[in-house]
Amino acid sequence: MLSKYRWWRDAVIYQVYVRSFLDSTGDGVGDLAGVRAGLPYLKKLGVDGIWLSPFYPSPQHDHGYDVADYCGVDPLFGDLAEFDLLVAAARRLGVKVLLDIVPNHCSSEHPWFQEALAAEPGSPARARFHFADGRGPAGGEPPNNWHSMFGGPAWTRIGDGQWYLHMFAPEQPDWNWRNPEVGAEFDRVLRFWLDRGIDGFRIDVAAGLYKHPDLPDADDPEADARTRDSVNPLAWNQPEVHDVWRRWRATCEEYTARDGRERLLVGEVSVPTAREHARYVRPDELHQAFFFDLLSAPWNADAFRKVISEAMQDIAGTGSTVTWVLNNHDQVRTVTRYGEPATEGSGLGAARARAAALLMLALPGAAYIYQGEELGLPEVVDLPDDVLTDPIFRRTGSRARIRDGCRVPLPWSGQASPFGFTSGAESARPWLPQPEYFAEYATDRALADTRSFWHLYRDGLQLRAALPQLGEGTLRWLDTPPGVLGFVRGDGLVCAVNFGTVPTPSPVSGTPLLSSGPCPAGVLPGSTAAWWISDL
């Protein structure tokens, strides 16, 4: 009965990093009113929905991923009335709205954590988190050897001598999901937002809620879940986490049963294999989970074919669809990641990023686009140390994994910063400085240039919506020369990508429907993707 409402199976969702999207107040920080003002732009682009980064009340130690109140709006971004206006405007345009929920940890300023700090060791208030006595003389060493994913130890000591666990920054204490009060509180939070009309949740750190009950030492204490191949198994992917997703899925199904409008749960699941990933998207758990292997794969035809095949076999086999991503707010922007060398505006990086976009949009399942990717924005690699805000930089002193470079506010118009991002005076300064070269990527210029990244994405999304061969379904691989990846979707839609730099004969004859660069008949240039209709 509900299958026709399962919009999420092949949806294209646009990630809005709220503080960097569009500023309506002139304070240099994007806000919910700015998102509402930008909805027509996103509708014109052709996306099915938006995912909003956290806008909850927060001291902003990790840009909102340190939540102090899960049922409010930080004044920096607006208020609940503005949120309701945003949801209503999106509904009128037919754009779905997903919220980012952060169930692994909260802010150290959350009322429950403040209550825990004021309480005695062993108290019910502390049992909502992971408090423990230290080791060594006078308990002066952490309870175990775990390391934070933001660098340094995963434990911080408080005044009475106990320690608390934080797998990220000290300002982000981890919830203890073995305490039933925590689960009950998040049940309340889900219903609060579902009652306000949202279409679902993107779940932060979806594999990390439960820790081993004994909190033992790790074999690899510096394991970093974001690398996926060196996860600390004692703090990640514990079996009990699946019970949470069954409970949340049941809540969503309850709302869907009321009005036939299916609510979505999509998880940030970082686990080593597609087979483990598939466990999170079984029919009674998450609807979808981000498949990061495509993002992390080297620019190589064999590598891409391997990860796509594994995803289709293991994830699509559960009855879910694969959720493809090329970028997000934690990753180096695609143009720079694919560039050689990795510098702003690398021509090779841009060509590869355009080809990768067409490849992703041709794959079966859903796709997520990080804001600015449709403009071809490069990573801002030369931000001075004194403007960096990423807690990874504060914790490690290293720029190696910092994320500020992909979070610089979007350029909308004009020749100089703030490029239309803020409505304030000409002297208004965005919260992160925009480089001068952002003028080349401004939205107004992109819309006016039919050869731009924006038009490539828009044309791809239009064809994806119009052609029955695209979206949900299967694919069949083509025999192709080395360095070329080709597959058929449905009734004769062919996608091929030349991962090399030397032109090669195209796998099918005719003129492409759409290509990521100039594509003469019969030829597939290097670093180019194209779609054809064929009788194959």
Side-chain angles (χ1 to χ4, degrees), residues 301-516:
D302 292 338
F304 269 61
R305 178 165 178 160
K306 180 176 184 292
V307 299
I308 292 168
S309 296
E310 289 177 351
M312 295 301 298
Q313 174 182 320
D314 294 324
I315 298 170
T318 66
S320 180
T321 54
V322 185
T323 305
W324 307 101
V325 292
L326 285 172
N327 208 275
N328 60 38
H329 64 292
D330 289 330
Q331 303 294 330
V332 173
R333 284 203 175 271
T334 312
V335 166
T336 302
R337 195 172 72 244
Y338 287 153
E340 293 179 354
T343 57
E344 76 208 30
S346 164
L348 184 58
R352 289 173 171 177
R354 290 171 64 91
L358 277 196
L359 170 64
M360 179 179 72
L361 293 177
L363 291 172
Y368 279 64
I369 301 169
Y370 177 49
Q371 69 177 39
E373 292 291 289
E374 82 283 7
L375 301 176
L377 282 179
E379 185 86 353
V380 181
V381 297
D382 55 356
L383 292 168
D385 287 357
D386 61 355
V387 305
L388 297 179
T389 60
D390 194 327
I392 294 175
F393 180 70
R394 298 199 308 269
R395 294 275 288 171
T396 66
S398 169
R399 301 173 66 100
R401 294 172 51 228
I402 59 172
R403 302 162 294 170
D404 286 317
C406 69
R407 300 176 177 184
V408 174
L410 295 184
W412 289 87
S413 61
Q415 299 299 313
S417 183
F419 297 111
F421 165 72
T422 176
S423 60
E426 292 185 4
S427 60
R429 299 177 61 185
W431 69 277
L432 279 175
Q434 301 159 304
E436 292 181 4
Y437 63 78
F438 261 32
E440 302 171 25
Y441 302 91
T443 299
D444 61 349
R445 182 176 294 193
L447 268 64
D449 181 0
T450 58
R451 300 166 300 175
S452 69
F453 266 82
W454 192 91
H455 280 274
L456 180 72
Y457 270 92
R458 196 279 305 271
D459 293 348
L461 290 171
Q462 285 187 338
L463 285 172
R464 182 182 167 102
L467 295 174
Q469 296 97 323
L470 295 175
E472 185 181 355
T474 60
L475 65 76
R476 174 169 58 88
W477 293 109
L478 291 176
D479 290 330
T480 53
V484 176
L485 190 67
F487 54 85
V488 182
R489 295 295 320 279
D491 184 18
L493 189 287
V494 173
C495 174
V497 184
N498 184 353
F499 283 77
T501 58
V502 178
T504 185
S506 61
V508 297
S509 60
T511 302
L513 280 175
L514 183 62
S515 61
S516 63

